[in-house]
Amino acid sequence: MSYHYLVDIALILLSTKVLGIVTKRLQMPQVVGALLAGIVLGPAVLGVIQSTEFLSQVSELGVIVMMFTAGLGTSLDDLKHSGKSGFLVALCGVIVPLIGGTALAMLFNSSGSDNVFIQDVFVGVVLTATSVSITVETLKEMGKLTTVVGNTILAAALIDDVLGLIALTIVTSVGGSSGDSLLMVLVKVVLFFVFVFVVGILVKKLMDWYIANVHSTDLQRYPIFAFVLCLLMSFCAEHFFGVADITGAFAAGLIISTTSKAKYIEVKFAPLSYLLLTPIFFASIGLSMDLPEMDAKILLFSVLLVIVAVLSKLIGCGLGAKICGLNNHQCKQVGVGMVCRGEVALIVANKGSALGLMPEIFFGPIIIMVVATTVITPILLKLAYRKSAAYDEMLESTLVDRYDEVEQLDYIAENLIRANNHMMKKDKDKKAEKVKK
Amino acid sequence: MSYHYLVDIALILLSTKVLGIVTKRLQMPQVVGALLAGIVLGPAVLGVIQSTEFLSQVSELGVIVMMFTAGLGTSLDDLKHSGKSGFLVALCGVIVPLIGGTALAMLFNSSGSDNVFIQDVFVGVVLTATSVSITVETLKEMGKLTTVVGNTILAAALIDDVLGLIALTIVTSVGGSSGDSLLMVLVKVVLFFVFVFVVGILVKKLMDWYIANVHSTDLQRYPIFAFVLCLLMSFCAEHFFGVADITGAFAAGLIISTTSKAKYIEVKFAPLSYLLLTPIFFASIGLSMDLPEMDAKILLFSVLLVIVAVLSKLIGCGLGAKICGLNNHQCKQVGVGMVCRGEVALIVANKGSALGLMPEIFFGPIIIMVVATTVITPILLKLAYRKSAAYDEMLESTLVDRYDEVEQLDYIAENLIRANNHMMKKDKDKKAEKVKK
């Protein structure tokens, strides 16, 4: 038996966290640090960790859990209330990068594969993803989260996830190896959404009934049952509908988000993610990246990809905001706030690479694009706000409240534990005193 | 790519939980249900799940995390305060089963291996393990947990874990494949304990300094750093000292239990265990068990093993309690309360089987022994208490308080989440009303 995987996991956990802390100190997002840690450990730099079946399957499971919790955090109620402006910003912010990414990839893709067009579109799909957490952190820091702009960004990011996944679903289905005709593929996609809808209603009814009628002191069953649903829906999506498993996981999360145990389940999934699955995901991204393959052409592609990524979101989302009647300053702020790609773009790229829908040489540039947009977003946001302090309008928003909840609950739990420890210590001291007397 | 592992995990999670709930309804411990689920899924009954590298490595990781949290739950303070009676009960309760198990295995072991004596002693080591959680549940139900007997059992079980691990450490070191002389092995074991002591003091100092001087809103780092320590100590135990990795994990847990973040870390590790690692561990126990191999001799061995397991703990612990001056009724109650083996015995047996220190044919009987002692303990306890209601003496005990904490924190968290949801809903309604006006 080899025990080296213990050291591998320890190295991955330690380096992703330590570099995450370092990048945070440097006013950069933790995701950047975690991703850099993966690249440093991988063959591109140190090569201390080899890819194993164990690591790659844990990483796949990590992707599924990350998309499940993304779905879980997207309350359907919030989606309904996010309104027209959120929808328009998200829609334009998906269409423009989709076209921009596809066009750029067409110029550079020389893979000569049968499905070269699908490969190009896939690069466009990767560009549609938005990771809003970094924008939220920055706006919070500047005290601008509860403004019209902040609220529009939050709403648009929620819808962006759904639209991006629909695009991914269609592209992977069409480009998949099932050999189905285009019509059949579209029928299957529609059937999948019907399937999600039916399962959603059944699960919601069943859970409501179960929670109302079965009283148990054992709360662990709820996260477990939710996880089972997530795994089965991921499998069904791939196996019966030819749809990406992460779409199934996201749908399962959305379904669970409608039940009254959603928040509890979300809190319990967090440590499973950050203690094991997410760090291994970042490491495996780094493991699948080889820097030496970069030549002048790929370098040029990387630079252009970053530019297209930034401009397409800026223009797309800004346009959406303009249509909704926001002023020019606000449009710029919304556009800049949506620039950041993050783990979602990586997940999508990873998926495409596994399905053969993305040439290997595009993988490096996409990682560069993710790092660049993630690093640049806080800087651009601060610039965009510098000139327009006068235009802010404060808002009360449930979207903003929701975003902070899990973190707050964590604090409350920590304080409870501390208070409890303190009380127990006092208790013990009292008893010890009694014994002395 | 194969997606079948998603279904495997879903099946494992669902069946271990559902059978756990069923056995709980039948007044039997959940462990029994989880273990039965593993056996049913494995080759012995349905054979629906094949053993894969992924499952076996996740299961190994699960064992390490389970032992780490066991160490984390064993506060050194509590160990110091558990006193003479706890120590004597634990010591006799380790020695008698060790001798009994070894003697029985000698009669039946026909493996003809070089280290046949070590193999026999290993069966004895498996019998030393005590799983106290089931006894605690039963005593709580009967309202007898806060008695002299309840407190003695809790204290003895804590020390039992440590003594059992010392026995395991010595046996695996001596029987290991390192080719070291007996003296060298013992030197290494002693060096390992020195290593644990030194690392313990350094980590404690470092953590205290860190918590006092680095103020961060990011609490995730504490469970992550603790996990890194656990993984590295498990690796060092195996790699440098020839000691079982689970001993290293337990030691890491003990070290972390002395820091002020111990409880927080324990709470965060719980979902990692029950959402993924523990169910897969039970499944992999079932996967490595083949029922068809049972013949008359093994059946006889199984029956005798159960009898020796019950009697050796009853006599050993009862004797220890007698020496400490408890009356006959109380001695019987203490002895019965320590009969239950559980996941710890399985972990030890699994370890031995992986190291070639236990003949494969003993694996089935040991599982039968674990199930039998686990099922029989609550029944015996109720019988032992039926005749002696008059002898109870209530006690205040911090050991008892500690046992309930994690569960209580879970409840508080759930209620907070519910209150929070309720408030947010009211907030939203208010806002909606405002908009209407």
Side-chain angles (χ1 to χ4, degrees), chain A residues 17 54 57 60 217-218 261 264 268 405 410-411 414 420, chain B residues 5 17 54 57 217-218 261 264 268 405 410-411 414 420:
Chain A
K17 192 66 203 172
F54 171 71
Q57 278 199 305
E60 272 181 59
T217 57
D218 168 30
K261 296 281 179 206
Y264 181 80
K268 292 301 164 189
E405 260 177 308
D410 213 36
Y411 267 106
E414 161 68 358
N420 195 26
Chain B
Y5 78 103
K17 192 66 205 172
F54 171 71
Q57 279 199 305
T217 57
D218 168 30
K261 295 282 179 204
Y264 181 78
K268 292 300 164 188
E405 260 177 308
D410 213 34
Y411 266 106
E414 160 69 358
N420 194 27

PDB file of all heavy atoms in Angstrom, chain A residues 17 54 57 60 217-218 261 264 268 405 410-411 414 420, chain B residues 5 17 54 57 217-218 261 264 268 405 410-411 414 420:
ATOM      1  N   LYS A  17      -4.678  26.907   0.357  1.00  0.00           N
ATOM      2  CA  LYS A  17      -5.125  27.833   1.400  1.00  0.00           C
ATOM      3  C   LYS A  17      -4.101  28.934   1.637  1.00  0.00           C
ATOM      4  O   LYS A  17      -4.458  30.113   1.709  1.00  0.00           O
ATOM      5  CB  LYS A  17      -5.390  27.072   2.704  1.00  0.00           C
ATOM      6  CG  LYS A  17      -6.134  27.897   3.750  1.00  0.00           C
ATOM      7  CD  LYS A  17      -7.531  28.212   3.287  1.00  0.00           C
ATOM      8  CE  LYS A  17      -8.125  29.430   3.941  1.00  0.00           C
ATOM      9  NZ  LYS A  17      -9.411  29.806   3.329  1.00  0.00           N
ATOM     10  N   PHE A  54      -7.717   8.565  -8.283  1.00  0.00           N
ATOM     11  CA  PHE A  54      -8.368   9.067  -7.071  1.00  0.00           C
ATOM     12  C   PHE A  54      -8.563  10.574  -7.150  1.00  0.00           C
ATOM     13  O   PHE A  54      -9.668  11.084  -6.985  1.00  0.00           O
ATOM     14  CB  PHE A  54      -7.518   8.696  -5.860  1.00  0.00           C
ATOM     15  CG  PHE A  54      -7.955   9.327  -4.571  1.00  0.00           C
ATOM     16  CD1 PHE A  54      -9.128   8.932  -3.946  1.00  0.00           C
ATOM     17  CD2 PHE A  54      -7.193  10.327  -3.978  1.00  0.00           C
ATOM     18  CE1 PHE A  54      -9.523   9.510  -2.748  1.00  0.00           C
ATOM     19  CE2 PHE A  54      -7.585  10.911  -2.790  1.00  0.00           C
ATOM     20  CZ  PHE A  54      -8.750  10.505  -2.174  1.00  0.00           C
ATOM     21  N   GLN A  57     -11.131  11.627  -9.828  1.00  0.00           N
ATOM     22  CA  GLN A  57     -12.542  11.368  -9.503  1.00  0.00           C
ATOM     23  C   GLN A  57     -13.029  12.252  -8.362  1.00  0.00           C
ATOM     24  O   GLN A  57     -14.168  12.707  -8.366  1.00  0.00           O
ATOM     25  CB  GLN A  57     -12.752   9.888  -9.194  1.00  0.00           C
ATOM     26  CG  GLN A  57     -12.898   9.097 -10.505  1.00  0.00           C
ATOM     27  CD  GLN A  57     -13.546   7.764 -10.323  1.00  0.00           C
ATOM     28  OE1 GLN A  57     -13.100   6.959  -9.527  1.00  0.00           O
ATOM     29  NE2 GLN A  57     -14.605   7.505 -11.067  1.00  0.00           N
ATOM     30  N   GLU A  60     -13.810  15.484  -9.993  1.00  0.00           N
ATOM     31  CA  GLU A  60     -15.102  15.441 -10.692  1.00  0.00           C
ATOM     32  C   GLU A  60     -16.264  15.580  -9.713  1.00  0.00           C
ATOM     33  O   GLU A  60     -17.229  16.307  -9.943  1.00  0.00           O
ATOM     34  CB  GLU A  60     -15.262  14.106 -11.418  1.00  0.00           C
ATOM     35  CG  GLU A  60     -14.698  14.089 -12.812  1.00  0.00           C
ATOM     36  CD  GLU A  60     -14.930  12.725 -13.444  1.00  0.00           C
ATOM     37  OE1 GLU A  60     -16.090  12.308 -13.564  1.00  0.00           O
ATOM     38  OE2 GLU A  60     -13.932  12.054 -13.765  1.00  0.00           O
ATOM     39  N   THR A 217     -35.013  13.592  15.492  1.00  0.00           N
ATOM     40  CA  THR A 217     -33.923  14.405  16.024  1.00  0.00           C
ATOM     41  C   THR A 217     -32.692  14.281  15.142  1.00  0.00           C
ATOM     42  O   THR A 217     -31.695  14.948  15.376  1.00  0.00           O
ATOM     43  CB  THR A 217     -33.534  13.928  17.431  1.00  0.00           C
ATOM     44  OG1 THR A 217     -33.182  12.544  17.350  1.00  0.00           O
ATOM     45  CG2 THR A 217     -34.682  14.090  18.402  1.00  0.00           C
ATOM     46  N   ASP A 218     -32.772  13.428  14.153  1.00  0.00           N
ATOM     47  CA  ASP A 218     -31.629  13.167  13.283  1.00  0.00           C
ATOM     48  C   ASP A 218     -31.698  14.070  12.057  1.00  0.00           C
ATOM     49  O   ASP A 218     -32.429  13.801  11.107  1.00  0.00           O
ATOM     50  CB  ASP A 218     -31.653  11.686  12.881  1.00  0.00           C
ATOM     51  CG  ASP A 218     -30.676  11.391  11.757  1.00  0.00           C
ATOM     52  OD1 ASP A 218     -29.654  12.081  11.668  1.00  0.00           O
ATOM     53  OD2 ASP A 218     -30.963  10.465  10.976  1.00  0.00           O
ATOM     54  N   LYS A 261     -35.450  23.222   4.212  1.00  0.00           N
ATOM     55  CA  LYS A 261     -34.166  22.822   4.797  1.00  0.00           C
ATOM     56  C   LYS A 261     -32.978  23.317   3.958  1.00  0.00           C
ATOM     57  O   LYS A 261     -31.830  22.941   4.224  1.00  0.00           O
ATOM     58  CB  LYS A 261     -34.076  21.295   4.907  1.00  0.00           C
ATOM     59  CG  LYS A 261     -35.078  20.681   5.846  1.00  0.00           C
ATOM     60  CD  LYS A 261     -34.646  20.835   7.301  1.00  0.00           C
ATOM     61  CE  LYS A 261     -35.697  20.235   8.217  1.00  0.00           C
ATOM     62  NZ  LYS A 261     -35.712  20.828   9.545  1.00  0.00           N
ATOM     63  N   TYR A 264     -29.982  24.923   5.858  1.00  0.00           N
ATOM     64  CA  TYR A 264     -29.278  23.942   6.687  1.00  0.00           C
ATOM     65  C   TYR A 264     -28.383  23.064   5.822  1.00  0.00           C
ATOM     66  O   TYR A 264     -27.227  22.799   6.141  1.00  0.00           O
ATOM     67  CB  TYR A 264     -30.297  23.095   7.456  1.00  0.00           C
ATOM     68  CG  TYR A 264     -29.660  22.075   8.359  1.00  0.00           C
ATOM     69  CD1 TYR A 264     -29.165  22.461   9.605  1.00  0.00           C
ATOM     70  CD2 TYR A 264     -29.528  20.748   7.979  1.00  0.00           C
ATOM     71  CE1 TYR A 264     -28.561  21.544  10.433  1.00  0.00           C
ATOM     72  CE2 TYR A 264     -28.926  19.820   8.805  1.00  0.00           C
ATOM     73  CZ  TYR A 264     -28.450  20.223  10.034  1.00  0.00           C
ATOM     74  OH  TYR A 264     -27.847  19.315  10.852  1.00  0.00           O
ATOM     75  N   LYS A 268     -24.151  22.642   5.697  1.00  0.00           N
ATOM     76  CA  LYS A 268     -23.461  21.366   5.890  1.00  0.00           C
ATOM     77  C   LYS A 268     -22.598  20.980   4.691  1.00  0.00           C
ATOM     78  O   LYS A 268     -21.653  20.219   4.843  1.00  0.00           O
ATOM     79  CB  LYS A 268     -24.487  20.251   6.162  1.00  0.00           C
ATOM     80  CG  LYS A 268     -25.201  20.392   7.490  1.00  0.00           C
ATOM     81  CD  LYS A 268     -24.211  20.373   8.641  1.00  0.00           C
ATOM     82  CE  LYS A 268     -24.833  20.897   9.912  1.00  0.00           C
ATOM     83  NZ  LYS A 268     -23.839  21.079  10.979  1.00  0.00           N
ATOM     84  N   GLU A 405     -25.561  35.325   4.459  1.00  0.00           N
ATOM     85  CA  GLU A 405     -26.096  34.455   5.501  1.00  0.00           C
ATOM     86  C   GLU A 405     -25.173  33.350   5.987  1.00  0.00           C
ATOM     87  O   GLU A 405     -24.935  33.211   7.179  1.00  0.00           O
ATOM     88  CB  GLU A 405     -27.372  33.795   4.989  1.00  0.00           C
ATOM     89  CG  GLU A 405     -28.604  34.468   5.498  1.00  0.00           C
ATOM     90  CD  GLU A 405     -29.785  33.798   4.890  1.00  0.00           C
ATOM     91  OE1 GLU A 405     -29.819  33.668   3.648  1.00  0.00           O
ATOM     92  OE2 GLU A 405     -30.640  33.353   5.627  1.00  0.00           O
ATOM     93  N   ASP A 410     -21.906  30.975  10.327  1.00  0.00           N
ATOM     94  CA  ASP A 410     -20.636  30.412  10.748  1.00  0.00           C
ATOM     95  C   ASP A 410     -20.102  31.155  11.971  1.00  0.00           C
ATOM     96  O   ASP A 410     -19.662  30.552  12.938  1.00  0.00           O
ATOM     97  CB  ASP A 410     -19.644  30.538   9.589  1.00  0.00           C
ATOM     98  CG  ASP A 410     -18.687  29.396   9.573  1.00  0.00           C
ATOM     99  OD1 ASP A 410     -19.115  28.283   9.912  1.00  0.00           O
ATOM    100  OD2 ASP A 410     -17.525  29.609   9.237  1.00  0.00           O
ATOM    101  N   TYR A 411     -20.193  32.484  11.914  1.00  0.00           N
ATOM    102  CA  TYR A 411     -19.762  33.293  13.044  1.00  0.00           C
ATOM    103  C   TYR A 411     -20.552  33.011  14.296  1.00  0.00           C
ATOM    104  O   TYR A 411     -20.009  32.903  15.389  1.00  0.00           O
ATOM    105  CB  TYR A 411     -19.971  34.770  12.728  1.00  0.00           C
ATOM    106  CG  TYR A 411     -18.756  35.350  12.172  1.00  0.00           C
ATOM    107  CD1 TYR A 411     -18.669  35.635  10.822  1.00  0.00           C
ATOM    108  CD2 TYR A 411     -17.649  35.555  12.983  1.00  0.00           C
ATOM    109  CE1 TYR A 411     -17.523  36.139  10.304  1.00  0.00           C
ATOM    110  CE2 TYR A 411     -16.504  36.062  12.445  1.00  0.00           C
ATOM    111  CZ  TYR A 411     -16.438  36.352  11.111  1.00  0.00           C
ATOM    112  OH  TYR A 411     -15.288  36.850  10.600  1.00  0.00           O
ATOM    113  N   GLU A 414     -19.539  29.803  15.777  1.00  0.00           N
ATOM    114  CA  GLU A 414     -18.244  29.920  16.444  1.00  0.00           C
ATOM    115  C   GLU A 414     -18.393  30.600  17.806  1.00  0.00           C
ATOM    116  O   GLU A 414     -17.806  30.173  18.801  1.00  0.00           O
ATOM    117  CB  GLU A 414     -17.280  30.695  15.527  1.00  0.00           C
ATOM    118  CG  GLU A 414     -16.064  31.310  16.185  1.00  0.00           C
ATOM    119  CD  GLU A 414     -15.059  30.284  16.689  1.00  0.00           C
ATOM    120  OE1 GLU A 414     -15.349  29.090  16.554  1.00  0.00           O
ATOM    121  OE2 GLU A 414     -14.029  30.685  17.248  1.00  0.00           O
ATOM    122  N   ASN A 420     -20.009  28.430  25.027  1.00  0.00           N
ATOM    123  CA  ASN A 420     -20.236  27.120  25.616  1.00  0.00           C
ATOM    124  C   ASN A 420     -18.981  26.628  26.332  1.00  0.00           C
ATOM    125  O   ASN A 420     -19.031  26.175  27.483  1.00  0.00           O
ATOM    126  CB  ASN A 420     -20.621  26.162  24.489  1.00  0.00           C
ATOM    127  CG  ASN A 420     -21.224  24.895  25.004  1.00  0.00           C
ATOM    128  OD1 ASN A 420     -21.796  24.901  26.097  1.00  0.00           O
ATOM    129  ND2 ASN A 420     -21.082  23.839  24.261  1.00  0.00           N
TER     130      ASN A 420
ATOM    131  N   TYR B   5     -19.869   5.832 -11.156  1.00  0.00           N
ATOM    132  CA  TYR B   5     -19.495   6.028  -9.747  1.00  0.00           C
ATOM    133  C   TYR B   5     -20.466   6.965  -9.032  1.00  0.00           C
ATOM    134  O   TYR B   5     -20.616   6.910  -7.823  1.00  0.00           O
ATOM    135  CB  TYR B   5     -18.045   6.533  -9.645  1.00  0.00           C
ATOM    136  CG  TYR B   5     -17.865   7.990  -9.957  1.00  0.00           C
ATOM    137  CD1 TYR B   5     -17.689   8.919  -8.936  1.00  0.00           C
ATOM    138  CD2 TYR B   5     -17.866   8.455 -11.256  1.00  0.00           C
ATOM    139  CE1 TYR B   5     -17.524  10.261  -9.219  1.00  0.00           C
ATOM    140  CE2 TYR B   5     -17.700   9.788 -11.542  1.00  0.00           C
ATOM    141  CZ  TYR B   5     -17.530  10.683 -10.523  1.00  0.00           C
ATOM    142  OH  TYR B   5     -17.382  12.013 -10.795  1.00  0.00           O
ATOM    143  N   LYS B  17     -28.014   5.087   5.011  1.00  0.00           N
ATOM    144  CA  LYS B  17     -28.861   5.948   5.839  1.00  0.00           C
ATOM    145  C   LYS B  17     -30.223   5.300   6.090  1.00  0.00           C
ATOM    146  O   LYS B  17     -30.705   5.281   7.224  1.00  0.00           O
ATOM    147  CB  LYS B  17     -29.050   7.313   5.171  1.00  0.00           C
ATOM    148  CG  LYS B  17     -29.667   8.359   6.083  1.00  0.00           C
ATOM    149  CD  LYS B  17     -28.734   8.706   7.215  1.00  0.00           C
ATOM    150  CE  LYS B  17     -29.437   9.231   8.440  1.00  0.00           C
ATOM    151  NZ  LYS B  17     -28.528   9.390   9.585  1.00  0.00           N
ATOM    152  N   PHE B  54     -11.019   4.243  -6.445  1.00  0.00           N
ATOM    153  CA  PHE B  54     -11.620   5.438  -5.866  1.00  0.00           C
ATOM    154  C   PHE B  54     -12.295   5.115  -4.529  1.00  0.00           C
ATOM    155  O   PHE B  54     -12.026   5.742  -3.508  1.00  0.00           O
ATOM    156  CB  PHE B  54     -12.628   6.028  -6.857  1.00  0.00           C
ATOM    157  CG  PHE B  54     -13.471   7.136  -6.305  1.00  0.00           C
ATOM    158  CD1 PHE B  54     -12.915   8.379  -6.035  1.00  0.00           C
ATOM    159  CD2 PHE B  54     -14.818   6.942  -6.069  1.00  0.00           C
ATOM    160  CE1 PHE B  54     -13.687   9.404  -5.533  1.00  0.00           C
ATOM    161  CE2 PHE B  54     -15.604   7.972  -5.574  1.00  0.00           C
ATOM    162  CZ  PHE B  54     -15.036   9.200  -5.299  1.00  0.00           C
ATOM    163  N   GLN B  57      -9.789   4.156  -1.756  1.00  0.00           N
ATOM    164  CA  GLN B  57      -9.005   5.262  -1.208  1.00  0.00           C
ATOM    165  C   GLN B  57      -9.853   6.236  -0.400  1.00  0.00           C
ATOM    166  O   GLN B  57      -9.412   6.741   0.627  1.00  0.00           O
ATOM    167  CB  GLN B  57      -8.238   5.981  -2.316  1.00  0.00           C
ATOM    168  CG  GLN B  57      -6.959   5.201  -2.645  1.00  0.00           C
ATOM    169  CD  GLN B  57      -5.932   6.029  -3.373  1.00  0.00           C
ATOM    170  OE1 GLN B  57      -6.234   6.587  -4.402  1.00  0.00           O
ATOM    171  NE2 GLN B  57      -4.724   6.090  -2.857  1.00  0.00           N
ATOM    172  N   THR B 217     -11.256  37.110   9.461  1.00  0.00           N
ATOM    173  CA  THR B 217     -12.670  36.745   9.397  1.00  0.00           C
ATOM    174  C   THR B 217     -12.832  35.386   8.728  1.00  0.00           C
ATOM    175  O   THR B 217     -13.927  34.867   8.641  1.00  0.00           O
ATOM    176  CB  THR B 217     -13.453  37.786   8.580  1.00  0.00           C
ATOM    177  OG1 THR B 217     -12.833  37.850   7.285  1.00  0.00           O
ATOM    178  CG2 THR B 217     -13.410  39.148   9.225  1.00  0.00           C
ATOM    179  N   ASP B 218     -11.733  34.840   8.268  1.00  0.00           N
ATOM    180  CA  ASP B 218     -11.790  33.581   7.537  1.00  0.00           C
ATOM    181  C   ASP B 218     -11.541  32.423   8.503  1.00  0.00           C
ATOM    182  O   ASP B 218     -10.402  32.130   8.861  1.00  0.00           O
ATOM    183  CB  ASP B 218     -10.718  33.614   6.434  1.00  0.00           C
ATOM    184  CG  ASP B 218     -10.492  32.257   5.813  1.00  0.00           C
ATOM    185  OD1 ASP B 218     -11.448  31.462   5.779  1.00  0.00           O
ATOM    186  OD2 ASP B 218      -9.360  32.001   5.377  1.00  0.00           O
ATOM    187  N   LYS B 261      -9.817  26.061  19.267  1.00  0.00           N
ATOM    188  CA  LYS B 261     -10.706  25.915  18.123  1.00  0.00           C
ATOM    189  C   LYS B 261     -11.197  24.477  17.956  1.00  0.00           C
ATOM    190  O   LYS B 261     -11.832  24.145  16.944  1.00  0.00           O
ATOM    191  CB  LYS B 261      -9.981  26.321  16.829  1.00  0.00           C
ATOM    192  CG  LYS B 261      -9.589  27.782  16.766  1.00  0.00           C
ATOM    193  CD  LYS B 261     -10.761  28.661  16.435  1.00  0.00           C
ATOM    194  CE  LYS B 261     -10.340  30.118  16.403  1.00  0.00           C
ATOM    195  NZ  LYS B 261     -11.442  31.039  16.635  1.00  0.00           N
ATOM    196  N   TYR B 264     -14.983  23.955  17.199  1.00  0.00           N
ATOM    197  CA  TYR B 264     -15.347  24.454  15.872  1.00  0.00           C
ATOM    198  C   TYR B 264     -14.892  23.476  14.792  1.00  0.00           C
ATOM    199  O   TYR B 264     -15.632  23.151  13.865  1.00  0.00           O
ATOM    200  CB  TYR B 264     -14.715  25.834  15.646  1.00  0.00           C
ATOM    201  CG  TYR B 264     -15.053  26.452  14.322  1.00  0.00           C
ATOM    202  CD1 TYR B 264     -16.288  27.057  14.129  1.00  0.00           C
ATOM    203  CD2 TYR B 264     -14.166  26.402  13.257  1.00  0.00           C
ATOM    204  CE1 TYR B 264     -16.611  27.611  12.916  1.00  0.00           C
ATOM    205  CE2 TYR B 264     -14.487  26.951  12.035  1.00  0.00           C
ATOM    206  CZ  TYR B 264     -15.716  27.558  11.869  1.00  0.00           C
ATOM    207  OH  TYR B 264     -16.035  28.092  10.657  1.00  0.00           O
ATOM    208  N   LYS B 268     -17.111  21.125  12.025  1.00  0.00           N
ATOM    209  CA  LYS B 268     -16.924  21.210  10.578  1.00  0.00           C
ATOM    210  C   LYS B 268     -16.537  19.865   9.968  1.00  0.00           C
ATOM    211  O   LYS B 268     -16.760  19.632   8.780  1.00  0.00           O
ATOM    212  CB  LYS B 268     -15.848  22.255  10.239  1.00  0.00           C
ATOM    213  CG  LYS B 268     -16.282  23.679  10.548  1.00  0.00           C
ATOM    214  CD  LYS B 268     -17.514  24.054   9.767  1.00  0.00           C
ATOM    215  CE  LYS B 268     -18.170  25.282  10.345  1.00  0.00           C
ATOM    216  NZ  LYS B 268     -19.471  25.570   9.720  1.00  0.00           N
ATOM    217  N   GLU B 405     -22.576  17.930  23.224  1.00  0.00           N
ATOM    218  CA  GLU B 405     -22.382  19.262  22.653  1.00  0.00           C
ATOM    219  C   GLU B 405     -22.607  19.399  21.154  1.00  0.00           C
ATOM    220  O   GLU B 405     -23.353  20.258  20.706  1.00  0.00           O
ATOM    221  CB  GLU B 405     -20.959  19.730  22.946  1.00  0.00           C
ATOM    222  CG  GLU B 405     -20.891  20.665  24.107  1.00  0.00           C
ATOM    223  CD  GLU B 405     -19.453  20.994  24.343  1.00  0.00           C
ATOM    224  OE1 GLU B 405     -18.637  20.060  24.455  1.00  0.00           O
ATOM    225  OE2 GLU B 405     -19.143  22.181  24.365  1.00  0.00           O
ATOM    226  N   ASP B 410     -25.770  21.593  16.645  1.00  0.00           N
ATOM    227  CA  ASP B 410     -26.460  21.361  15.400  1.00  0.00           C
ATOM    228  C   ASP B 410     -27.902  21.869  15.475  1.00  0.00           C
ATOM    229  O   ASP B 410     -28.393  22.535  14.581  1.00  0.00           O
ATOM    230  CB  ASP B 410     -26.465  19.863  15.117  1.00  0.00           C
ATOM    231  CG  ASP B 410     -26.401  19.593  13.647  1.00  0.00           C
ATOM    232  OD1 ASP B 410     -25.746  20.370  12.942  1.00  0.00           O
ATOM    233  OD2 ASP B 410     -27.025  18.626  13.200  1.00  0.00           O
ATOM    234  N   TYR B 411     -28.562  21.567  16.594  1.00  0.00           N
ATOM    235  CA  TYR B 411     -29.922  22.038  16.804  1.00  0.00           C
ATOM    236  C   TYR B 411     -30.021  23.541  16.821  1.00  0.00           C
ATOM    237  O   TYR B 411     -30.891  24.143  16.219  1.00  0.00           O
ATOM    238  CB  TYR B 411     -30.422  21.571  18.170  1.00  0.00           C
ATOM    239  CG  TYR B 411     -31.159  20.322  18.039  1.00  0.00           C
ATOM    240  CD1 TYR B 411     -30.604  19.128  18.444  1.00  0.00           C
ATOM    241  CD2 TYR B 411     -32.414  20.323  17.432  1.00  0.00           C
ATOM    242  CE1 TYR B 411     -31.274  17.968  18.286  1.00  0.00           C
ATOM    243  CE2 TYR B 411     -33.085  19.154  17.268  1.00  0.00           C
ATOM    244  CZ  TYR B 411     -32.516  17.974  17.698  1.00  0.00           C
ATOM    245  OH  TYR B 411     -33.185  16.818  17.519  1.00  0.00           O
ATOM    246  N   GLU B 414     -29.701  24.920  13.426  1.00  0.00           N
ATOM    247  CA  GLU B 414     -30.931  24.711  12.659  1.00  0.00           C
ATOM    248  C   GLU B 414     -31.997  25.725  13.061  1.00  0.00           C
ATOM    249  O   GLU B 414     -32.676  26.305  12.223  1.00  0.00           O
ATOM    250  CB  GLU B 414     -31.409  23.264  12.870  1.00  0.00           C
ATOM    251  CG  GLU B 414     -32.868  22.982  12.557  1.00  0.00           C
ATOM    252  CD  GLU B 414     -33.197  23.063  11.072  1.00  0.00           C
ATOM    253  OE1 GLU B 414     -32.288  23.380  10.289  1.00  0.00           O
ATOM    254  OE2 GLU B 414     -34.371  22.860  10.724  1.00  0.00           O
ATOM    255  N   ASN B 420     -33.995  32.922  11.091  1.00  0.00           N
ATOM    256  CA  ASN B 420     -33.472  33.823  10.086  1.00  0.00           C
ATOM    257  C   ASN B 420     -34.360  33.821   8.834  1.00  0.00           C
ATOM    258  O   ASN B 420     -34.747  34.870   8.325  1.00  0.00           O
ATOM    259  CB  ASN B 420     -32.058  33.349   9.733  1.00  0.00           C
ATOM    260  CG  ASN B 420     -31.307  34.394   8.961  1.00  0.00           C
ATOM    261  OD1 ASN B 420     -31.597  35.575   9.098  1.00  0.00           O
ATOM    262  ND2 ASN B 420     -30.385  33.969   8.139  1.00  0.00           N
TER     263      ASN B 420
END
